[in-house]
Amino acid sequence: MSYVVVARYRTKEGEENTVLPLLDAMAAASRQEPGNLAYRVHQGTEDPRAVVLYEEYASEADFTAHCATEHFREIVLGRVVPLLESRDVLRCAPRAEVTA
């Protein structure tokens, strides 16, 4: 079972070419973290200002630790967020399996 985070960003007009390389650097750094299972950056095909991040961690605690890293604070909070028009983050925990 894993803990999944899906973040949906919309860049300010003309900022996607600045934001995407920053997120690529963030993905590379995040993949080195203990407990990180996946970190992928996607760009909208119809709307290039739309960006979706898919992150997967072994546990919620691993995601919490991710948010405390220097690269998260510097890249995401310090450099990416100011260039966004909107930012929505969905955190997903696995459902308990139900047996019939």
Side-chain angles (χ1 to χ4, degrees), residues 66-77:
H66 161 75
C67 292
T69 62
E70 182 64 29
H71 52 270
F72 179 84
R73 291 192 310 270
E74 179 184 323
I75 298 172
V76 174
L77 299 180

Side-chain angles (χ1 to χ4, degrees), residues 1-99:
M1 300 255 212
S2 62
Y3 188 79
V4 171
V5 176
V6 178
R8 196 169 100 184
Y9 297 169
R10 180 164 171 80
T11 68
K12 292 179 181 175
E13 186 73 40
E15 296 294 353
E16 60 274 14
N17 292 329
T18 301
V19 168
L20 289 166
L22 290 169
L23 292 175
D24 290 340
M26 184 65 198
S30 298
R31 288 185 196 116
Q32 302 305 310
E33 297 171 22
N36 180 276
L37 305 175
Y39 195 113
R40 293 192 293 275
V41 180
H42 302 268
Q43 183 178 19
T45 56
E46 295 177 14
D47 179 3
R49 292 173 52 202
V51 178
V52 173
L53 305 179
Y54 174 85
E55 305 173 47
E56 190 172 357
Y57 299 88
S59 69
E60 183 177 3
D62 291 320
F63 174 69
T64 299
H66 161 75
C67 292
T69 62
E70 182 64 29
H71 52 270
F72 179 84
R73 291 192 310 270
E74 179 184 323
I75 298 172
V76 174
L77 299 180
R79 298 177 68 191
V80 171
V81 169
L83 302 177
L84 300 180
E85 187 176 282
S86 64
R87 177 178 179 231
D88 297 306
V89 179
L90 176 64
R91 301 170 187 205
C92 303
R95 283 181 40 107
E97 291 186 29
V98 178
T99 57

